[in-house]
Amino acid sequence: MLDGAPNPVIGLQADGRVAFWNHAAETMFGIGNAQAIGQPLQLLLSIVDAQVDWAEFLVKQASCANEGNEEGVQSDHWHALQIRSIAGKTVDAELAIETHRQHEQPYATLYLREQTDHLRIAKELAEAVASTKSAFLVNMSHEIRTPMNGIIGMLDLLLDSKLNDSQREFAAIAQSSAENLLNLVNGIFDFSRNEAGRLPFESMPYDLPAEIDAPPFLGVAQETATQAYDGNRQLQLGGYKILVADDNVVNQTVVVRMLEKFGCKIELANDGAQAVALHRAHQFDLILMDCQMPEQDGYQATARIRAYEAAYASGARVPIVALTAHAMAGERAKCLAAGMDDFLAKPVRPATLRAVLGYWLRATPVVGARIDAGAPSDDLAAMREMFGSDFAELALLFQTDSKKRIAGMVETVSKRDYVETIKIAHALSGSAASMGASSLAFLCKTFEAQLKSGLTEQLESKVKAIETDYMKVDERLQHLLKTA
């Protein structure tokens, strides 16, 4: 009966020699019954990356059975193994062992089965559970950070107001407690991500010229602004007009009060659709964009704003800074991919907001003013100073790479392969920005946004403008290399 079983069944004597070898075992391992019977199993089968003495293993199993006074002990646990046969076949299998006695001698029956559907189903189930857990963490992060933003933000504003000593002491204690709570929440999320093997590393393809994106994301912006405007000098932001897009009234109030203290002019949008409409109707120096909003979220609103700018704004690009309660890994990349320039995680602190605003508002031309794409950027000279003797090598790499990408851009546009054109424009924008060629990076970025929006008018002229600007950048680099 066992000989006709659909899965391999192997019988082992006390010395580990094969006493039974059914037809399914012949098929799985490529070893015939006559060849297997009487042979030590360890000569016929080996477990990949492991050494197993089958006889010793059998004795241990039988000993456990004796101590428990059990006959026919059946292991209900299947061991996943990769088994290699003497015939050269390697099989991903699962093994269960039944031990008993024959003529007072230990005897074992090995049951094997291929790792097939039940493992795939288990794997898919585990992945689904992990995905659900990750989504839960993202949502919980957002739900907890949103009220924390209101609490900590209001306490910051309160401590910046006129208080007597007792009031200041009480507010400071409340602020310290709120920050401790936030640290505790962050610790819980970090622990969960670490448990899932997601902290703190991310793996992604790396190509130096292509993958360093244009906008100096949060960290660079904050550090640069903080160094420029230290605690001894108050950053003056008065007169700037800022659009705040957020559906949460508390968050709106916190950010608006902070901006008012900086002397900024403010417009409010309650969702992404309102933000898009206000952007088209008015000129703003900067947009603070919440990512999670009803009707139209911040990612969708940003994409529409960038598409509109590419088509109708004559080169103008308003900086968009993400406001998000999502502190999970990958959020910055998601914001950048949507066309945002920077990233602020809630709760927003006055010093951080001031630093980021200082960076973007000081570094950005007046909204609505046409950018002269041919003007050389002083950032090239700054890059030379930063890299010193390595600048020549970096410049050569940039020149070689850029020429190939521009040629590829011309070719893909002529073939109407706009998917590939978008990839090239994105890569060139990143490498140009990294090199300090700001105007070239901007032209590529707006060209990319235009293609992503489905607008294909005057593409050849846009590519020509990019090519012309690159030639001027190249001339500028040659001059800097000669005078180095």
Side-chain angles (χ1 to χ4, degrees):
M1 183 173 64
L2 289 177
D3 191 56
N7 291 318
V9 180
I10 301 172
L12 292 184
Q13 298 173 347
D15 59 0
R17 293 178 182 272
V18 175
F20 181 80
W21 187 273
N22 74 345
H23 181 71
E26 293 182 350
T27 303
M28 176 178 281
F29 298 115
I31 302 173
N33 178 278
Q35 183 182 0
I37 297 297
Q39 295 295 324
L41 183 61
Q42 62 197 48
L43 293 181
L44 303 176
L45 304 178
S46 61
I47 299 174
V48 178
D49 297 329
Q51 295 293 328
V52 174
D53 186 326
W54 292 104
E56 181 181 345
F57 181 76
L58 175 59
V59 170
K60 287 182 179 179
Q61 291 292 314
S63 175
C64 291
N66 271 344
E67 290 173 4
N69 294 317
E70 298 179 17
E71 287 293 327
V73 176
Q74 172 71 53
S75 171
D76 60 359
H77 180 69
W78 289 83
H79 303 271
L81 303 170
Q82 189 175 55
I83 300 175
R84 182 178 295 123
S85 76
I86 195 173
K89 296 187 69 174
T90 301
V91 181
D92 290 321
E94 289 183 295
L95 168 70
I97 301 174
E98 179 184 5
T99 60
H100 51 92
R101 288 185 169 272
Q102 283 188 354
H103 310 295
E104 299 302 320
Q105 295 295 321
Y107 187 90
T109 304
L110 278 57
Y111 300 92
L112 296 105
R113 66 188 183 192
E114 287 193 75
Q115 296 181 27
T116 52
D117 288 347
H118 68 284
L119 283 183
R120 176 182 56 79
I121 293 170
K123 179 175 179 290
E124 291 175 354
L125 179 61
E127 290 174 346
V129 170
S131 177
T132 301
K133 181 178 179 181
S134 178
F136 172 77
L137 285 173
V138 169
N139 292 332
M140 284 301 296
S141 174
H142 181 270
E143 295 301 324
I144 293 175
R145 282 175 172 272
T146 296
M148 289 302 296
N149 181 57
I151 294 169
I152 293 178
M154 284 300 181
L155 286 171
D156 282 332
L157 292 170
L158 180 61
L159 285 167
D160 197 36
S161 64
K162 293 181 180 180
L163 301 174
N164 61 38
D165 292 343
S166 296
Q167 292 170 332
R168 187 165 298 279
E169 179 184 2
F170 298 156
I173 292 173
Q175 183 189 51
S176 176
S177 299
E179 288 178 345
N180 287 338
L181 177 58
L182 181 62
N183 290 334
L184 177 62
V185 169
N186 289 337
I188 293 172
F189 290 132
D190 286 345
F191 177 80
S192 298
R193 284 185 286 172
N194 184 49
E195 185 183 45
R198 297 183 178 181
L199 182 73
F201 306 105
E202 291 184 54
S203 176
M204 60 189 67
Y206 180 74
D207 174 5
L208 176 61
E211 295 299 333
I212 303 177
D213 286 294
F217 248 43
L218 184 61
V220 177
Q222 290 188 41
E223 181 180 354
T224 304
T226 303
Q227 290 173 350
Y229 310 102
D230 57 31
N232 297 322
R233 295 172 58 187
Q234 289 296 317
L235 176 61
Q236 299 300 318
L237 296 170
Y240 286 109
K241 190 172 183 180
I242 297 176
L243 172 61
V244 177
D246 199 314
D247 64 305
N248 186 291
V249 177
V250 174
N251 291 339
Q252 283 184 354
T253 304
V254 169
V255 174
V256 166
R257 291 296 176 85
M258 290 180 183
L259 292 173
E260 287 174 346
K261 283 185 173 292
F262 301 156
C264 299
K265 298 177 181 177
I266 305 145
E267 286 278 350
L268 285 174
N270 295 315
D271 56 48
Q274 288 185 17
V276 172
L278 284 170
H279 168 262
R280 294 182 180 182
H282 305 282
Q283 291 185 351
F284 295 100
D285 296 286
L286 185 139
I287 298 175
L288 293 172
M289 182 76 75
D290 183 40
C291 293
Q292 300 295 326
M293 292 184 289
E295 303 299 329
Q296 191 177 106
D297 64 30
Y299 310 110
Q300 296 168 326
T302 298
R304 295 196 176 191
I305 288 172
R306 294 306 185 215
Y308 179 84
E309 288 174 335
Y312 305 109
S314 302
R317 175 188 170 96
V318 61
I320 300 178
V321 177
L323 293 176
T324 177
H326 288 323
M328 307 298 284
E331 185 63 21
R332 293 180 185 176
K334 186 176 180 181
C335 293
L336 178 59
M340 299 178 186
D341 300 290
D342 214 331
F343 174 102
L344 278 174
K346 297 174 183 177
V348 178
R349 309 306 297 269
T352 306
L353 179 60
R354 183 188 295 115
V356 172
L357 292 179
Y359 181 91
W360 289 106
L361 295 178
R362 294 291 176 126
T364 305
V366 177
V367 172
R370 187 177 183 84
I371 295 178
D372 181 3
S377 171
D378 290 339
D379 290 342
L380 292 171
M383 290 292 288
R384 182 182 67 175
E385 296 300 319
M386 180 186 299
F387 283 90
S389 59
D390 294 327
F391 179 73
E393 181 180 355
L394 180 63
L396 178 61
L397 177 64
F398 171 73
Q399 290 167 321
T400 303
D401 180 77
S402 298
K403 289 174 183 177
K404 291 179 181 178
R405 295 194 187 279
I406 290 174
M409 195 180 295
V410 172
E411 181 181 359
T412 54
V413 166
S414 67
K415 293 180 178 179
R416 300 180 184 274
D417 185 0
Y418 299 138
V419 172
E420 191 62 29
T421 308
I422 289 172
K423 293 179 182 178
I424 296 172
H426 178 80
L428 184 56
S429 173
S431 57
S434 300
M435 194 65 199
S438 303
S439 60
L440 178 60
F442 183 83
L443 285 174
C444 293
K445 201 70 176 178
T446 54
F447 184 55
E448 177 190 355
Q450 176 182 339
L451 287 170
K452 285 183 176 179
S453 68
L455 301 174
T456 57
E457 293 82 6
Q458 301 180 332
L459 295 185
E460 289 79 4
S461 63
K462 298 290 178 65
V463 173
K464 186 64 178 178
I466 290 173
E467 190 173 12
T468 301
D469 193 79
Y470 167 74
M471 292 173 63
K472 293 182 179 181
V473 171
D474 186 70
E475 291 175 5
R476 176 73 168 160
L477 285 174
Q478 295 291 350
H479 174 74
L480 289 172
L481 290 171
K482 290 179 181 178
T483 56

